[in-house]
Structure formats: C-alpha cells, structure tokens
Amino acid sequence: MITLALSKGRIFDETLPLLAAAGIVVTEDPEKSRKLILSTNQPQVRVVLVRATDVPTYVQYGGADLGVAGKDSLIEHGGQGLFRPLDLQIAKCRVSVAVRAGFDYQDAVTQGSRLKVATKYTSIARDFFASKGVHVDMIKLYGSMELAPLTGLADAIVDLVSTGNTLKANNLVEVEQIMDISSHLVVNQAALKLKQAPLKRIIDAFASALARG
C-alpha cells in the first residue's frame, strides 16, 4: 500500500492532474465526504487528508509514504527525514510582511526599535528579521492573522499572500516580500528503499508531467 498525504484546498486540487499523469484518480470528493482516508482507482494507493502543516510530519514518521507540502511548511518543520525530489510548482504564493495602513514600517525597522510580529511562520520570520538586524518579539498565532495589527496585538504580521485581497479588505499593506512559495513532493526515506519501484513510478510520472508543462 502506498499512502499519499495531501491537504484540502489548492494543494489537493492542483495535485490531481499530476496524479492523473501517474494513472491515479481519487475516487471520492473530499468536499462531499467526511472521510480522511480516500480511495483511488488503484487498490494499492490511498490518499490521507491532513492539515497542510502536518504533511511533513506524517511523511517523516511513516504515517504516509509521500506527500505534497508547501515550502513554508517544510521550512517550519525542518525537513528532517524527508527526500525532496521535485518542486511541483503548484499552489504558488509568497510569504510577506504586512502592517496596518499608515504604520511607518521603514522607520520602525531602521530605528532599531523592537518590532512585535504575529505569525505562525516563526522560523521564517525570525531568520528574516535577524538577517536585517531587526529585534522582534514573536507572537505565535494560528489564524486570523490580519486582526493582530488592527487590535494592537502586533506591529506587523508575516503571512502567506496570494492575491493580497484579504490584506486590502482589512486595511493592511504588504510592505516586504520574504520569499516565493510553491509546493514540493516529499518522500519518506525509509519507504524510498522499501517501496522503491512503486514510488519511483509516481515520482517519474510527476516529473514527466512537469516537463511537459
């Protein structure tokens, strides 16, 4: 049995064509089912639905043989025990710094004052501000990041940005881009040895689909 870990949403939707290239079709719609384990047209392949941030952990510890995870999740996880054969170039977005409109971000980071930063991407944020020599107090949040600057909880947020519409709707401004994000195929290193042939077929099919564009 080959187990693939995916998260609902863009990653799931944009992985489906790659799976189809490998001859794998998920036979259940995750939006219409409460199931967390989905069957496919291949009896020996199944999909497990987990939180995006948990995909690397499931693959690392063998709860799944392979998975698709955003670069952001991989950095926060640390990437231990994972083989990363492919950047799938899907679910593209960016990690950026945003502040409330009217906040003088440039002044705040150049004056050497401590910046209060709310984010769930603490490793990415800490490394970024350290590289700029900016002292930060990190506030870990798991959702509704846009509220933090509006309520005075934080001066800035570090979050994923796709279109920027959510920021604009909440009177926030994107002031600095930290990195581009796309999703990667990750494989459990032990599974790569024990299930080499079936996993290689999937990896090669994904690679061929990417090469065709």
Side-chain angles (χ1 to χ4, degrees), residues 3-5 46 48 50 55 57-66 188:
T3 301
L4 169 67
R46 65 180 181 174
V48 294
V50 300
V55 169
T57 303
Y58 268 79
V59 176
Q60 177 189 359
Y61 290 105
D65 300 301
L66 71 171
N188 175 278

Side-chain angles (χ1 to χ4, degrees), residues 109-172:
V109 298
T110 54
Q111 291 301 317
S113 56
R114 292 189 77 87
L115 203 63
K116 288 190 295 182
V117 178
T119 185
K120 66 177 175 180
Y121 304 106
T122 52
S123 294
I124 292 172
R126 191 175 287 111
D127 289 348
F128 173 72
F129 286 110
S131 72
K132 294 170 69 73
V134 178
H135 299 291
V136 295
D137 291 322
M138 205 71 67
I139 301 167
K140 176 100 175 184
L141 291 179
Y142 294 91
S144 301
M145 221 62 66
E146 296 81 12
L147 271 176
L150 303 177
T151 58
L153 179 67
D155 302 310
I157 61 172
V158 170
D159 202 10
L160 291 181
V161 179
S162 184
T163 62
N165 290 339
T166 304
L167 294 178
K168 289 173 189 166
N170 288 283
N171 202 32
L172 300 180

Side-chain angles (χ1 to χ4, degrees), residues 63-84:
D65 300 301
L66 71 171
V68 177
K71 182 181 175 183
D72 52 308
S73 297
L74 292 170
I75 291 172
E76 292 298 316
H77 168 269
Q80 303 93 338
L82 301 175
F83 174 55
R84 290 166 58 172

